[in-house]
Amino acid sequence: MMIFDEINKKIATGKKQIALLIDPDKFSSGQLEAVHRHEKHIDLILVGGSFTFKHIGDVIARIKEKVSIPVILFPGDVTQLSANADALLMLSLISGRNPEYLIGNHVLAAPRIMEYGLEPIPTGYIVLNGGKKTAVSYISNTNPVPSEQHDIIVATALAGKYLGLKMIYLETGSGATHPASPELVRKVKSTVHLPLIVGGGIKTAEQLKSLFNAGADIAVIGTLFENNPEVLQDIIEGIH
Ligand code: 1GP
């Protein structure tokens, strides 16, 4: 089954999904062991970052040796493509106004995506101001939308839907002080009705629960898991 179909199947049954974000440069054997131990509670693994030194394909190969969770590329740019992944978030940075992140990188990536047989999942990527300047804003040379501008954010997500994008990702940036508010998540979900990913700054099971209750379908945890892979245990216990 295609990965996007699997995601939708879980959404249809009301199953909330946890995605771990692995930054290739910070990937550790501790992370791998923790994912392995909690494999049945993790739905997706995203691999990528705004900027990386390490080859993404090597990291994915190591992950795949150990676990069978779908691995999805979350590419910061065209250098972060690999045939080892199962799918690719085909990100349009629709909160920004930089054509390189709306179409430029996509043109460069298209031949590789076809060659590698990757499943592209067209995703509207909306970067919100999460309390501090993040790598994604700097590298993409785009301004985040002020988090309190709910109407603009909802309209941006809606425009993404009307352009044919299949998922919306509400992002406050890796290491953000806080994720999108549950109130905003509720507004976006209830207006746009697309699979909704929320990430950036998630630190507790309580936050996860309130994002899920507000309508997030997938929550992404990166920094927390990177700093302490053992935290997965608490998170999983906390939400079950
Ligand atoms: C960043 O949404 C992800 O792209 C995860 O953010 O690292 O803050 O968990 P954190």
Side-chain angles (χ1 to χ4, degrees):
M1 191 190 286
M2 304 293 273
I3 304 298
F4 187 54
D5 292 338
E6 278 182 37
I7 290 171
N8 275 319
K9 204 171 151 194
K10 287 184 179 175
I11 292 174
T13 62
K15 163 92 172 63
K16 298 297 182 179
Q17 299 170 58
I18 294 185
L20 295 177
L21 172 62
I22 292 182
D23 177 335
D25 289 353
K26 295 169 186 158
F27 176 58
S28 67
S29 47
Q31 284 185 313
L32 201 49
E33 288 303 325
V35 180
H36 180 53
R37 266 201 306 286
H38 300 288
E39 185 162 357
K40 66 175 189 295
H41 297 292
I42 307 301
D43 298 280
L44 302 165
I45 296 177
L46 304 184
V47 185
S50 302
F51 176 86
T52 56
F53 273 91
K54 295 218 170 111
H55 289 286
I56 206 161
D58 299 343
V59 170
I60 297 171
R62 280 187 62 201
I63 296 168
K64 288 200 148 285
E65 273 170 19
K66 191 90 177 172
V67 295
S68 53
I69 304 166
V71 175
I72 305 182
L73 293 169
F74 177 49
D77 61 42
V78 74
T79 65
Q80 295 176 35
L81 294 172
S82 165
N84 293 341
D86 298 297
L88 157 85
L89 291 188
M90 190 75 175
L91 299 169
S92 290
L93 211 177
I94 54 177
S95 56
R97 298 295 180 268
N98 182 346
E100 292 307 316
Y101 289 84
L102 290 164
I103 184 64
N105 272 287
H106 311 65
V107 173
L108 298 176
R112 293 291 85 71
I113 295 169
M114 185 168 72
E115 179 192 344
Y116 296 162
L118 287 166
E119 175 192 343
I121 306 177
T123 303
Y125 192 47
I126 302 180
V127 179
L128 314 173
N129 188 336
K132 66 178 191 186
K133 177 105 179 166
T134 53
V136 59
S137 279
Y138 176 74
I139 294 286
S140 68
N141 198 17
T142 62
N143 288 325
V145 189
S147 317
E148 67 282 3
Q149 296 286 352
H150 289 187
D151 289 352
I152 294 177
I153 296 161
V154 170
T156 303
L158 204 50
K161 175 178 176 158
Y162 294 159
L163 281 166
L165 301 173
K166 302 291 186 217
M167 298 205 287
I168 297 294
Y169 190 143
L170 284 182
E171 169 78 276
T172 49
S174 193
T177 52
H178 54 80
S181 71
E183 186 195 353
L184 175 62
V185 168
R186 191 168 292 112
K187 285 182 186 169
V188 171
K189 182 68 183 185
S190 63
T191 308
V192 180
H193 301 291
L194 282 181
L196 182 59
I197 310 175
V198 178
I202 297 173
K203 299 182 186 73
T204 66
E206 287 312 310
Q207 280 175 322
L208 264 181
K209 279 196 278 192
S210 61
L211 292 168
F212 282 148
N213 287 338
D217 299 296
I218 302 172
V220 182
I221 301 175
T223 305
L224 187 70
F225 174 59
E226 198 171 279
N227 292 342
N228 176 16
E230 296 310 317
V231 83
L232 266 190
Q233 176 86 33
D234 300 339
I235 294 280
I236 288 163
E237 279 170 13
I239 60 167
H240 284 96

